């Protein structure tokens, strides 16, 4: 069943009231899983959730696209202070270090109930959380990052 919005104009002619308008479909919000996969408190005391999400944001997005498969990889960045802020959008950085080398991990967080485009809503009193996470300078993190 499609939802519709109704736009009406009302005109009164004598004792007759006319309603003239159009109905247009309402865009449904994308399906996404709001369940929290991991959570970390940042250096300023914010509780930052990483939600399961979908192919556009959250765990399902970056675990496939950017090959981050462990909460501790995301949390490496989230435990710090944000390095930049743009309204409710916070950017965090951290380093994963092993015998294989070291890589900077970036985590982008929407610390608000809704995404900036309004398409996603975490619910009353909740935050969207991690939108994406990735290794700087590459599309996919190397497998050793997840060990």
């Amino acid at each position: 069943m499609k939802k519709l919005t109704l736009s009406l104009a009302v005109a009164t002619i004598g004792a007759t009231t006319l309603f003239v308008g159009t109905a247009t479909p309402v865009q449904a919000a994308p399906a996404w899983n709001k369940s929290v996969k991991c959570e970390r408190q940042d250096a300023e005391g914010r509780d930052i959730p990483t939600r399961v999400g979908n192919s556009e944001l959250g765990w399902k997005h970056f675990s496939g696209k950017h090959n981050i498969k462990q909460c501790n990889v995301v949390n490496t960045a989230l435990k710090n202070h944000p390095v930049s802020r743009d309204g409710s959008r916070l950017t965090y950085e951290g380093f994963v270090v092993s015998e294989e080398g070291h890589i900077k991990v970036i985590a982008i967080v929407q610390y608000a109930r809704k995404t900036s485009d309004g398409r996603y809503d975490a619910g009353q009193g909740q935050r969207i959380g991690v939108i994406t996470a990735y290794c700087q300078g590459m599309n996919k993190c190397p497998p050793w990052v997840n060990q």
Side-chain angles (χ1 to χ4, degrees):
M1 176 181 235
K2 290 186 177 181
K3 292 183 180 180
L4 299 175
T5 57
L6 191 56
S7 174
L8 292 176
V10 179
T12 303
I13 302 170
T16 305
T17 303
L18 301 172
F19 295 93
V20 180
T22 59
T24 56
V26 173
Q27 295 293 352
W32 71 301
N33 187 333
K34 297 178 191 178
S35 301
V36 175
K37 171 83 173 164
C38 348
E39 190 166 27
R40 173 67 193 204
Q41 192 171 78
D42 76 1
E44 297 175 9
R46 292 179 197 87
D47 291 321
I48 311 288
T50 299
R51 297 183 186 282
V52 174
N54 63 17
S55 64
E56 293 182 0
L57 79 157
W59 186 266
K60 285 186 177 181
H61 165 71
F62 65 76
S63 66
K65 184 174 183 180
H66 302 300
N67 194 37
I68 293 177
K69 309 284 188 189
Q70 301 291 326
C71 289
N72 64 351
V73 177
V74 178
N75 291 343
T76 295
L78 295 179
K79 69 182 179 184
N80 299 313
H81 294 274
V83 295
S84 70
R85 303 166 200 246
D86 183 8
S88 298
R89 187 178 180 110
L90 308 174
T91 302
Y92 294 84
E93 296 178 350
F95 286 91
V96 174
V97 180
S98 81
E99 294 174 2
E100 303 281 339
H102 66 283
I103 288 183
K104 185 186 287 187
V105 175
I106 312 290
I108 308 295
V109 170
Q110 182 69 20
Y111 196 70
R113 175 181 172 170
K114 294 183 179 183
T115 54
S116 58
D117 63 6
R119 292 177 63 222
Y120 294 92
D121 186 333
Q124 187 173 357
Q126 301 297 310
R127 307 280 190 250
I128 294 289
V130 178
I131 292 174
T132 193
Y134 57 92
C135 292
Q136 186 176 41
M138 55 192 73
N139 284 332
K140 286 193 177 279
C141 296
W144 64 262
V145 167
N146 295 301
Q147 295 175 0

